[in-house]
Amino acid sequence: MASPFPPLGGYRTTPTPFNPSIRPAPPPKPAPVDLTALQNASRVLLDQLAKDAQVIPDLGETISNGVPQASGNYSIFPDDTRVPYQKRRFIGIPDGLFQYYDSANVTSHMGLLPDIERVWISIDHKLFLWDYNDGQEIASFVDQPDVITNVALVKPKPGLFIDDITSLLVISTPLSVLLIGVSLVPNPDENGRPATRLSLYDTDFKVECDVEMTSVVGAPDGRIFMCGASDGNVYELHYQATESWFAKRVQLINHSVGGMASLLPRFTSTANEERSMSIVVDASRNLLYSLTAQNTINIYRPNGEKVLQHIQNLSNIYKSAQDKAPGSPALTPQNFQIISLHVVAPRESKSGVQFFAITQNGLRLFFGPSSAYGYNYGSGSSSGNRPLALIHVRLPPTTLIHPDEQANRYRTPVGLYGAPPVSAQPSSRPYIVSTLDNSSYANGLTVATQPGDTDGSDYVLCLAPDLTRLGSLGQLNLAQNQPPAQQYTSTYPSYNNQTSTSSRPQLVEYATLLSIPGRSWAVAEIPHESTSVPTNTPSPSAINELGTQFSEPSSQFIILTNVGLTFLNKRRAVDYLKAVLEELHSDNNLQPLVDFRDSFGRDQTCAMLLALASGNTFLDGVVGPSPGSITSISPETAAHAKQSFYDFGDRPIWAERAMYGTTAENKGTAIYSGRRDGLALYFARLVRPIWKANITKLGKASGKHELGVPAKTLLFTQQNLFALKDFLDKNPHLFHSAPSETNSSRAPVADQEAWKAEHTSIVELQGLLARTIEALSFIMLLNDYRLGDLVAHCDADIKKLLETQTFEDLITSHHGITMSRALVNVVIDQQIGQQISVDTISEVLQHRCGSFCSTDDVMLYKAKENTRKAAETRNPTERQNSLSEALRLFTKGARILEFEKLREVIGDFQQLNFAKGAVCLPLACAQAQDPDNAGLEFWHLNPLVASDPRKELVEERHKAYDLILDSLAVFEERSNANKVAAANGGSVSDDPEAVRSHAYELAFASEDEMFHSTLYDWLIERNLADDLLEMRPPYLEAHLRRDPPTVQKYQLLWQFYVKNGQPLRAAEVLGALAESNQFDLHLDSRVEYLTLAVANAKSHPISAGGRHETAIAFLTDLEEKLEVAQVQLEVYQTLLPHIDDAPEVGNRIRQLSERLFTMTELYQDYAVPFDLPNIKLLCLHVSEHRDEGLVRPIWNQIFDEILQSSPDVVVQSDLIFKRVTSLGQRFYPSESAFPLRFVSQLLVRFMLANKDGVTSGWVSRLLVQSNVPFVEIWEVLHNMYESQVPPFNEQPNVQALSAEIAILLTDWLNEVMRPQSSISRAEFPAGRIDLAIDQYLPEVEPSRTDTRNAYEGIRRQLRRHW
């Protein structure tokens, strides 16, 4: 079986296959992490980083603000160990290209594209891209017909092309400019060496032009600028995705002309002195600098799309240079011709310098913000920035050694790197450059070419800062005042400069002249990926290669000639030291090593010696053949380096401090040895890229956590740290004693204190070194297992912590321990899920990063493994035993079991149908999280206090309870699925239902009241409230009565009381719910609850304890409230159609649905204001309020409204019939709402007033339809007949009333005689009616035969049947 872990990329060089039968001895238990010692050592590293950032000034500080305005100090050495540049290799132009030169009359151009590691060569219209890393691979582009004169590489505009296109080729011909997309993807060769595959894409962006373009440059945002070769104008190639009315898809914009003139034909050309020859882009400052043929520099700022603002013009540069260096032989009108401009990035010069110009004779003119004009621009400038001016003139070297003499390896007698030689071999041919034509600049390094003395060769001027004369490196024996020019040191006098009182060092540079084959066409720096430094970490200046030589490759330049490519390497201090050690080994000459130590200082030298002795990724100045591989020097040279480290390191010194007024001893501080400081410095430089960097960051595309530092940087750092640790482990004597000294005047006690402090500091540094290596192994292990996925499984606190934690925090803080422990848990869980044993995983973790894997975690891992065994075994007994053991271990570790881990464990228990574990373990964890029940006490509080810290305990308990509920849901689902399968005739098992039942038994058996409450809520949400009410568990009533109250709780509580035989309590709950203002209940619901309350109150049994009387009073009150609520509901329904009327009306109507009103409120606030006669009658009826003064006007209003609604008597009679009938049917016999005599009078008066339109019997039949008994109607009409009061004192009215009575008696008699009549014969007053007819008949007028016949017919019937 192979090892379950992928290769870590750590410090083990030979992978060992894993054999489960041969288990290595368990590693020793890691010692407890001493955070105090680690933090002390970390402070030492940070102190070293702060010092390292200050020892070398940046470029701007050496030539501005207080230093002379002109300088020319150079250190010039023959070709010995100190030469600053080295020709690393030469590659000839591939022979395959020469076949394309098919005639003598071809036009050919060439240039460098270092960003894609290609050389471009054009032969007429054909373009070739030569991969100089491969040596022979050539890509071609021949799809356009015009002669190619210029090719440039620029960045594309974002979002315009496919993702594969990372750059654009701008191809210029005399007739057009076109864009070609470039895709470059890694494509290692068959030997694994890095290589790239190039693909070209047609973009269909091409613009015709009548000016040949040159000096094409691209801005970071994708804008493209160029110069017209013939007119010297500044153009922009603008391109966009689509064409519009006002803008073409691709066009050339002439920014030198501006406005509409750029779109018109050109009749004149720019004057010669104004023609721009070249452009450079200052990306960091958003500026463009253009150089004209007459040494004028124009400064532009891109301001918005298609806009290029001219902000300043720098002219009369020659005169300004003369003012700063008057009388200099290098400054003459004949040789003052600027050949190129170079941007100085802000990281190279924080203030003072923005760019410099170089002339053909090597003069460099540095420009920066002017101090002469304050903060206002002069003429030709725009407000917002300080104007630029010439601030320093750097004169060229005058005593360069001719390349023919560089082979003379003559060494000066003293040769201090930071001091001019005291005696030198005279140079017979000092050389002065005069015809430079190509140049390149990067990080303080300048390389320029000019034709050599003989055909077929060029000379390269190479310049680099001399750090030994710029930095405060703790050098010894350096003369404070250097003599003027020696033979191998070029210096210039101070030209009319005021005496500088600044302590800042002036710029001193190494200078050398190299010879290369061929005629140069272009020079460029080879881009290399600089190691980024976190913003919160002190960073060395860009020219301080001492701080970066162990973390990134050396600077390289590439020079293209007509015969091939020459590669130049910048030699670093460690390269000088390695050469010195090799010379020591070969010649046994120690003096150069002593000179090196005296020039670079003790601590810097010891740090470099330690790197050479232990090995480093970048010792050769280039990345090794495989990522992170350590480069080592020969064993002999390494032995010299180790011995020199020991010898030069000296011994620690104890510096006493005078203590007045005290007798305390040993008051002082230790001055550490060079070995300790060299170790601290080298260690600090190795971890600078990571120490203050965040461990993770959120990926822009994925949104997941990913490494905050590139994995390659972590690998390089870890490999170098392990090489250092391995060296220190093999050579412990290096720090245990000091080189012998002839005499020592120091007291033994002071020596002991010094050695004690030194030993303590070194032990702390070595402890931090080991911990850092483990931390990097740990982080890379996480990255191998998809860091983003691992972090996603962490809880929110760990995720939040990860967002801010640095590598220093991980290694030296409590937060780091917490975070690493959580991540270890996730890793092991992931591996256990892949069937890897706990012992195997923990051994690997403890071997690679032992301090990041605790024994507590191992206990939980063993519990997890028992769970896995249970899943794998088929023996029920073994399964149960494994699960029980797992539950025991998990329960034992419940306090340290993190929630995410617990959730996964419960998931496993669910899969294994382990109901006991799924229920009991979360309960145990909940109790372990709240051992003193402080959370439970807080849960019982009413109201809860949001700021109480115990709230978190409640939340933790609820998270555990949720896991139990999830398990119950899973078991429920399985049981249901099993039942469905049984119903369909499928295979079934008895297990799911048993597991489900057991889980519920365990849950209800719990004595945790908070859990019970959570469980009840969950069951109710799942519509299992009826089952819960049937069970009536012990905590249910308390749960339903617990605050905060809800409608659902009230509903379940009254049902609980009903099922529990307590109907009166149910009625109380229903009544309270109906009247409650806490809930947003509709009026319909309130009426329903009151109805149910009345029903439950009526079912309350008679008791002997006197409760019955109280229950009757309660019932009566409920019934009255129900009646009022029903009235309110009718009012609401009546007014509802008007709810969208005026806002105030709608609001009042809505209020009816929100709470219960009293009868008085309904009458006064609604019935009266809204003028609702029916509602008024209803209110009087329900309240049984008898008041003729109220009820009669209401009835009058009813009749008046009907009479006013229509002039037609028939319509009026029909409306009255319907209205009075409905009211009578509802309210009779209520005299409060339906006063019969008054209503009858209104009816009779209407009938009398409309005798012709109203048929006889209308009144009596209306009242009968109103459910008024016949006898009541007869009595009312009879009383009117006999009253003789107006209008019944008039004979026509009396006759009409008599006819009404006749029809009433006829209908009454017919109803009595009808079979199945509701009126029995015994109830019929036949005698009284017979006597009354005797009264009525004589008074009937002869003309009313119908009335007379009716009376006679009634009398016959009466006498026949009674």
Side-chain angles (χ1 to χ4, degrees):
M1 175 181 173
S3 172
F5 291 89
L8 180 61
Y11 47 80
R12 293 180 62 183
T13 56
T14 305
T16 303
F18 173 68
N19 187 340
S21 63
I22 305 175
R23 180 167 293 173
K29 183 178 178 180
V33 178
D34 186 350
L35 292 180
T36 302
L38 293 174
Q39 289 162 3
N40 291 339
S42 180
R43 282 192 291 271
V44 172
L45 299 188
L46 293 176
D47 289 343
Q48 292 291 342
L49 291 177
K51 293 176 184 177
D52 204 24
Q54 298 170 0
V55 293
I56 304 294
D58 67 30
L59 182 62
E61 291 173 326
T62 64
I63 60 175
S64 64
N65 297 333
V67 301
Q69 298 182 12
S71 63
N73 301 326
Y74 295 90
S75 300
I76 301 172
F77 299 102
D79 188 10
D80 62 8
T81 57
R82 295 165 291 184
V83 68
Y85 288 84
Q86 176 185 13
K87 289 182 286 186
R88 190 174 187 91
R89 61 176 173 147
F90 171 81
I91 304 175
I93 293 178
D95 295 336
L97 275 175
F98 290 103
Q99 63 179 310
Y100 295 101
Y101 290 88
D102 50 8
S103 70
N105 297 319
V106 297
T107 302
S108 180
H109 298 81
M110 64 177 70
L112 289 168
L113 304 174
D115 288 330
I116 58 172
E117 301 174 329
R118 299 296 190 275
V119 170
W120 70 267
I121 301 173
S122 69
I123 301 174
D124 291 334
H125 70 285
K126 296 183 284 291
L127 174 65
F128 302 95
L129 299 177
W130 167 33
D131 181 356
Y132 51 74
N133 283 330
D134 178 82
Q136 298 297 322
E137 182 183 338
I138 300 172
S140 63
F141 174 73
V142 295
D143 294 341
Q144 65 86 35
D146 303 320
V147 173
I148 297 174
T149 57
N150 187 275
V151 176
L153 190 75
V154 299
K155 287 191 174 298
K157 290 184 178 179
L160 228 60
F161 303 100
I162 61 175
D163 293 340
D164 289 345
I165 295 180
T166 56
S167 51
L168 298 175
L169 284 179
V170 184
I171 301 176
S172 302
T173 74
L175 301 177
S176 63
V177 180
L178 69 153
L179 302 182
I180 299 296
V182 178
S183 169
L184 200 68
V185 295
N187 185 34
D189 63 12
E190 56 188 10
N191 297 321
R193 291 176 299 186
T196 55
R197 184 177 70 251
L198 182 79
S199 301
L200 301 180
Y201 295 85
D202 183 8
T203 66
D204 198 26
F205 285 122
K206 180 178 181 180
V207 63
E208 305 297 330
C209 60
D210 53 2
V211 179
E212 180 183 327
M213 297 297 170
T214 184
S215 188
V216 180
V217 295
D221 60 358
R223 296 180 68 177
I224 304 172
F225 301 96
M226 59 194 71
C227 289
S230 58
D231 61 8
N233 289 333
V234 176
Y235 292 87
E236 178 180 358
L237 177 62
H238 176 78
Y239 61 99
Q240 59 189 32
T242 58
E243 190 166 327
S244 63
W245 285 0
F246 303 103
K248 295 181 180 179
R249 189 164 176 264
V250 57
Q251 60 181 331
L252 273 176
I253 301 171
N254 188 338
H255 289 296
S256 295
V257 177
M260 290 300 296
S262 65
L263 306 176
L264 300 176
R266 220 176 35 259
F267 300 104
T268 60
S269 60
T270 308
N272 287 337
E273 61 273 11
E274 299 176 2
R275 292 185 177 182
S276 296
M277 299 188 305
S278 63
I279 305 175
V280 294
V281 173
D282 189 344
S284 57
R285 302 180 182 93
N286 191 31
L287 294 174
L288 263 70
Y289 310 122
S290 75
L291 173 65
T292 71
Q294 295 300 313
N295 299 323
T296 298
I297 299 173
N298 290 297
I299 304 174
Y300 302 88
R301 173 175 287 111
N303 276 345
E305 189 174 0
K306 300 185 184 180
V307 177
L308 187 64
Q309 178 188 6
H310 181 267
I311 62 174
Q312 192 177 357
N313 176 278
L314 295 170
S315 58
N316 298 321
I317 297 175
Y318 174 70
K319 184 178 183 305
S320 299
Q322 276 191 320
D323 292 341
K324 295 185 182 300
S328 169
L331 268 169
T332 63
Q334 293 76 19
N335 58 19
F336 189 81
Q337 179 61 52
I338 298 176
I339 62 168
S340 59
L341 305 178
H342 298 284
V343 175
V344 178
R347 61 187 179 84
E348 302 172 46
S349 175
K350 295 183 177 63
S351 63
V353 180
Q354 284 192 199
F355 71 95
F356 72 87
I358 184 169
T359 67
Q360 63 183 4
N361 67 333
L363 193 73
R364 281 170 292 163
L365 308 169
F366 289 88
F367 294 86
S370 171
S371 59
Y373 298 96
Y375 286 86
N376 294 319
Y377 269 109
S379 174
S381 65
S382 170
S383 62
N385 290 293
R386 294 169 62 185
L388 301 184
L390 178 63
I391 60 174
H392 190 84
V393 176
R394 182 69 176 163
L395 300 169
T398 58
T399 56
L400 289 168
I401 302 175
H402 194 282
D404 294 344
E405 297 185 3
Q406 283 287 353
N408 180 8
R409 296 178 58 85
Y410 177 81
R411 174 178 293 281
T412 58
V414 177
L416 292 186
Y417 285 72
V422 297
S423 175
Q425 177 73 20
S427 173
S428 60
R429 300 174 62 186
Y431 194 86
I432 299 176
V433 295
S434 59
T435 56
L436 298 176
D437 49 12
N438 289 301
S439 62
S440 180
Y441 169 83
N443 298 327
L445 309 177
T446 305
V447 172
T449 65
Q450 76 165 38
D453 293 346
T454 60
D455 291 338
S457 68
D458 266 12
Y459 292 160
V460 185
L461 173 64
C462 304
L463 306 173
D466 183 352
L467 302 186
T468 63
R469 298 178 66 184
L470 291 177
S472 304
L473 306 176
Q475 303 100 319
L476 301 175
N477 304 324
L478 282 180
Q480 296 300 316
N481 298 311
Q482 305 294 349
Q486 298 289 340
Q487 289 177 336
Y488 283 156
T489 302
S490 293
T491 62
Y492 287 87
S494 296
Y495 294 97
N496 292 346
N497 288 311
Q498 296 179 354
T499 303
S500 174
T501 59
S502 173
S503 60
R504 291 184 178 180
Q506 299 181 29
L507 179 60
V508 182
E509 294 176 290
Y510 292 119
T512 189
L513 199 64
L514 303 178
S515 175
I516 61 171
R519 183 69 190 92
S520 60
W521 278 76
V523 185
E525 184 208 15
I526 297 179
H528 67 270
E529 188 175 348
S530 297
T531 304
S532 61
V533 178
T535 55
N536 55 356
T537 302
S539 179
S541 66
I543 65 173
N544 180 11
E545 65 183 20
L546 295 175
T548 59
Q549 60 185 344
F550 302 121
S551 58
E552 60 184 54
S554 62
S555 298
Q556 293 186 72
F557 290 87
I558 184 172
I559 304 172
L560 173 64
T561 69
N562 57 350
V563 297
L565 292 171
T566 298
F567 291 81
L568 293 184
N569 264 37
K570 170 65 179 68
R571 297 183 74 243
R572 307 157 299 167
V574 70
D575 299 320
Y576 302 165
L577 181 56
K578 183 165 60 171
V580 167
L581 291 172
E582 290 169 350
E583 186 174 336
L584 171 63
H585 176 65
S586 61
D587 300 343
N588 202 24
N589 183 3
L590 185 60
Q591 187 59 41
L593 185 58
V594 175
D595 295 343
F596 186 95
R597 189 273 313 271
D598 292 343
S599 298
F600 282 94
R602 182 195 69 175
D603 296 346
Q604 299 285 346
T605 303
C606 284
M608 287 185 268
L609 287 169
L610 189 57
L612 288 170
S614 60
N616 182 273
T617 307
F618 299 99
L619 278 189
D620 282 346
V622 295
V623 180
S626 62
S629 60
I630 295 296
T631 303
S632 300
I633 57 178
S634 66
E636 297 81 6
T637 308
H640 285 297
K642 179 173 68 174
Q643 187 61 45
S644 301
F645 172 78
Y646 180 75
D647 293 338
F648 286 166
D650 297 331
R651 61 190 303 152
I653 301 173
W654 187 257
E656 301 285 356
R657 287 193 307 217
M659 303 295 292
Y660 298 98
T662 178
T663 58
E665 297 181 356
N666 298 331
K667 297 294 182 180
T669 57
I671 300 175
Y672 296 105
S673 71
R675 287 169 291 168
R676 182 269 190 189
D677 284 347
L679 169 62
L681 178 58
Y682 181 51
F683 188 0
R685 285 172 171 169
L686 291 180
V687 299
R688 189 202 317 270
I690 67 164
W691 201 243
K692 285 290 187 180
N694 284 357
I695 300 171
T696 67
K697 63 181 180 181
L698 286 178
K700 294 181 180 179
S702 64
K704 296 182 178 180
H705 283 260
E706 58 186 33
L707 288 179
V709 175
K712 183 169 65 175
T713 301
L714 294 181
L715 179 60
F716 288 165
T717 303
Q718 186 212 37
Q719 292 286 54
N720 290 327
L721 289 175
F722 182 75
L724 173 61
K725 180 179 182 297
D726 186 58
F727 173 76
L728 297 179
D729 290 344
K730 293 176 180 177
N731 299 278
H733 64 280
L734 290 176
F735 298 102
H736 291 173
S737 60
S740 59
E741 294 182 351
T742 54
N743 292 307
S744 177
S745 59
R746 294 209 159 264
V749 173
D751 280 348
Q752 292 175 9
E753 289 296 328
W755 278 109
K756 180 179 178 182
E758 170 118 342
H759 176 71
T760 300
S761 182
I762 288 174
V763 168
E764 289 175 345
L765 285 171
Q766 289 181 315
L768 181 63
L769 176 62
R771 171 86 171 164
T772 303
I773 293 171
E774 288 191 356
L776 293 177
S777 294
F778 177 60
I779 293 299
M780 288 193 290
L781 180 72
L782 298 180
N783 193 49
D784 289 339
Y785 295 131
R786 297 181 181 175
L787 178 62
D789 294 340
L790 296 177
V791 175
H793 288 83
C794 295
D795 60 31
D797 292 339
I798 297 299
K799 291 179 183 176
K800 187 175 181 180
L801 200 60
L802 264 172
E803 292 174 0
T804 58
Q805 294 299 289
T806 64
F807 282 86
E808 180 192 23
D809 298 327
L810 172 67
I811 295 166
T812 66
S813 72
H814 287 287
H815 282 319
I817 293 176
T818 301
M819 184 171 57
S820 61
R821 181 167 164 264
L823 290 168
V824 166
N825 291 345
V826 175
V827 170
I828 294 186
D829 287 346
Q830 184 191 71
Q831 294 302 294
I832 288 178
Q834 298 177 11
Q835 310 300 311
I836 311 300
S837 72
V838 171
D839 292 336
T840 302
I841 301 168
S842 59
E843 284 171 9
V844 172
L845 278 170
Q846 289 181 346
H847 179 74
R848 293 187 178 184
C849 39
S851 59
F852 290 85
C853 186
S854 69
T855 54
D856 289 338
D857 295 328
V858 173
M859 179 182 70
L860 297 181
Y861 305 151
K862 289 183 177 179
K864 181 74 173 178
E865 188 168 26
N866 273 289
T867 306
R868 182 170 64 85
K869 289 179 180 178
E872 293 174 351
T873 184
R874 296 185 178 181
N875 186 315
T877 303
E878 288 184 8
R879 171 181 291 187
Q880 192 61 37
N881 291 340
S882 296
L883 289 173
S884 298
E885 177 64 11
L887 177 60
R888 185 188 70 82
L889 291 171
F890 279 130
T891 304
K892 186 177 179 181
R895 190 172 187 112
I896 63 171
L897 191 58
E898 297 174 354
F899 177 73
E900 291 299 326
K901 174 77 173 179
L902 174 63
R903 175 155 51 191
E904 293 182 10
V905 171
I906 297 306
D908 293 338
F909 286 165
Q910 292 172 1
Q911 292 295 325
L912 296 170
N913 286 328
F914 187 37
K916 184 176 181 180
V919 174
C920 295
L921 180 57
L923 287 172
C925 290
Q927 186 62 49
Q929 293 289 338
D930 185 21
D932 301 326
N933 287 326
L936 186 61
E937 293 174 1
F938 174 76
W939 181 73
H940 278 295
L941 290 180
N942 184 27
L944 298 178
V945 181
S947 59
D948 196 309
R950 295 176 294 177
K951 182 180 179 182
E952 294 183 5
L953 296 174
V954 173
E955 293 172 352
E956 291 298 321
R957 293 182 74 137
H958 276 300
K959 286 165 65 176
Y961 300 154
D962 288 343
L963 296 178
I964 302 176
L965 303 181
D966 182 67
S967 297
L968 293 175
V970 170
F971 297 147
E972 185 94 36
E973 184 177 350
R974 290 178 186 166
S975 176
N976 292 337
N978 197 55
K979 293 176 182 176
V980 171
N984 295 334
S987 60
V988 298
S989 168
D990 296 335
D991 198 35
E993 180 59 31
V995 172
R996 171 193 171 280
S997 300
H998 186 42
Y1000 275 108
E1001 288 174 7
L1002 292 169
F1004 281 109
S1006 167
E1007 297 181 358
D1008 186 337
E1009 182 180 355
M1010 192 190 306
F1011 167 66
H1012 272 271
S1013 182
T1014 305
L1015 175 62
Y1016 301 156
D1017 280 335
W1018 179 77
L1019 290 170
I1020 292 168
E1021 289 175 3
R1022 293 172 62 86
N1023 299 320
L1024 296 174
D1026 292 341
D1027 296 336
L1028 190 61
L1029 292 173
E1030 290 296 333
M1031 293 177 60
R1032 298 197 295 280
Y1035 295 104
L1036 181 57
E1037 181 180 1
H1039 167 71
L1040 296 177
R1041 299 187 69 89
R1042 173 178 165 75
D1043 287 333
T1046 64
V1047 174
Q1048 190 177 41
K1049 283 185 177 179
Y1050 272 101
Q1051 291 175 332
L1052 293 176
L1053 186 58
W1054 78 260
Q1055 294 176 61
F1056 171 82
Y1057 286 136
V1058 168
K1059 292 184 179 295
N1060 215 31
Q1062 298 173 286
L1064 191 60
R1065 301 199 70 174
E1068 291 171 349
V1069 173
L1070 284 163
L1073 178 59
E1075 297 184 65
S1076 173
N1077 293 326
Q1078 293 178 270
F1079 312 118
D1080 185 18
L1081 291 174
H1082 196 271
L1083 183 58
D1084 293 335
S1085 299
R1086 296 181 188 272
V1087 173
E1088 178 186 357
Y1089 295 142
L1090 283 173
T1091 304
L1092 290 170
V1094 170
N1096 277 284
K1098 287 181 178 180
S1099 63
H1100 176 66
I1102 299 175
S1103 62
R1107 178 77 169 153
H1108 185 58
E1109 291 75 9
T1110 305
I1112 292 175
F1114 177 63
L1115 172 61
T1116 303
D1117 182 60
L1118 282 178
E1119 289 175 332
E1120 292 175 353
K1121 290 177 179 177
L1122 175 60
E1123 288 181 341
V1124 176
Q1126 289 169 336
V1127 173
Q1128 180 176 337
L1129 181 60
E1130 184 166 342
V1131 174
Y1132 176 72
Q1133 292 171 343
T1134 301
L1135 295 177
L1136 189 60
H1138 303 282
I1139 198 168
D1140 294 325
D1141 292 354
E1144 60 274 12
V1145 173
N1147 290 335
R1148 291 188 63 183
I1149 296 174
R1150 289 186 188 91
Q1151 290 175 4
L1152 282 171
S1153 67
E1154 296 172 357
R1155 67 177 180 88
L1156 294 178
F1157 286 69
T1158 65
M1159 186 63 75
T1160 301
E1161 290 175 323
L1162 292 174
Y1163 189 86
Q1164 295 180 352
D1165 297 342
Y1166 290 93
V1168 173
F1170 287 95
D1171 197 15
L1172 305 173
N1174 289 19
I1175 299 302
K1176 293 178 185 177
L1177 295 176
L1178 179 61
C1179 292
L1180 294 173
H1181 168 68
V1182 172
S1183 61
E1184 298 181 358
H1185 180 72
R1186 298 189 63 172
D1187 186 343
E1188 290 187 357
L1190 287 177
V1191 70
R1192 288 190 174 188
I1194 296 172
W1195 278 101
N1196 285 331
Q1197 178 185 355
I1198 292 172
F1199 273 78
D1200 290 343
E1201 288 176 354
I1202 294 174
L1203 295 178
Q1204 293 172 7
S1205 65
S1206 173
D1208 189 345
V1209 174
V1210 176
V1211 174
Q1212 291 175 352
S1213 64
D1214 290 343
L1215 292 175
I1216 291 173
F1217 192 96
K1218 293 177 182 178
R1219 185 78 173 273
V1220 176
T1221 300
S1222 65
L1223 293 174
Q1225 290 173 355
R1226 182 169 189 181
F1227 298 137
Y1228 181 84
S1230 169
E1231 285 296 321
S1232 301
F1234 194 83
L1236 177 61
R1237 284 164 181 74
F1238 182 72
V1239 173
S1240 299
Q1241 286 181 9
L1242 293 176
L1243 293 172
V1244 171
R1245 288 176 186 273
F1246 175 79
M1247 180 267 293
L1248 295 179
N1250 299 279
K1251 298 184 184 71
D1252 298 334
V1254 178
T1255 59
S1256 298
W1258 178 79
V1259 173
S1260 60
R1261 287 170 177 166
L1262 186 156
L1263 292 175
V1264 169
Q1265 288 292 321
S1266 300
N1267 291 335
V1268 181
F1270 285 96
V1271 64
E1272 293 289 338
I1273 301 172
W1274 180 47
E1275 288 181 359
V1276 169
L1277 296 180
H1278 181 74
N1279 289 338
M1280 292 182 191
Y1281 182 85
E1282 290 188 336
S1283 65
Q1284 297 296 319
V1285 298
F1288 304 113
N1289 56 353
E1290 297 178 5
Q1291 192 59 31
N1293 294 340
V1294 171
Q1295 293 299 316
L1297 187 60
S1298 178
E1300 196 69 34
I1301 293 173
I1303 293 174
L1304 170 68
L1305 295 176
T1306 302
D1307 292 345
W1308 190 3
L1309 181 61
N1310 291 336
E1311 176 63 24
V1312 171
M1313 299 297 294
R1314 184 176 60 82
Q1316 299 178 349
S1317 173
S1318 60
I1319 305 173
S1320 65
R1321 292 193 178 190
E1323 296 176 0
F1324 186 70
R1328 288 180 54 200
I1329 292 174
D1330 186 63
L1331 291 174
I1333 290 175
D1334 290 342
Q1335 177 185 352
Y1336 299 146
L1337 268 175
E1339 297 176 0
V1340 176
E1341 292 182 350
S1343 60
R1344 293 187 173 268
T1345 56
D1346 293 341
T1347 304
R1348 183 179 297 277
N1349 294 334
Y1351 280 138
E1352 291 175 351
I1354 294 168
R1355 187 163 57 184
R1356 285 193 297 272
Q1357 291 287 340
L1358 290 175
R1359 292 176 180 177
R1360 180 182 304 138
H1361 296 290
W1362 277 273

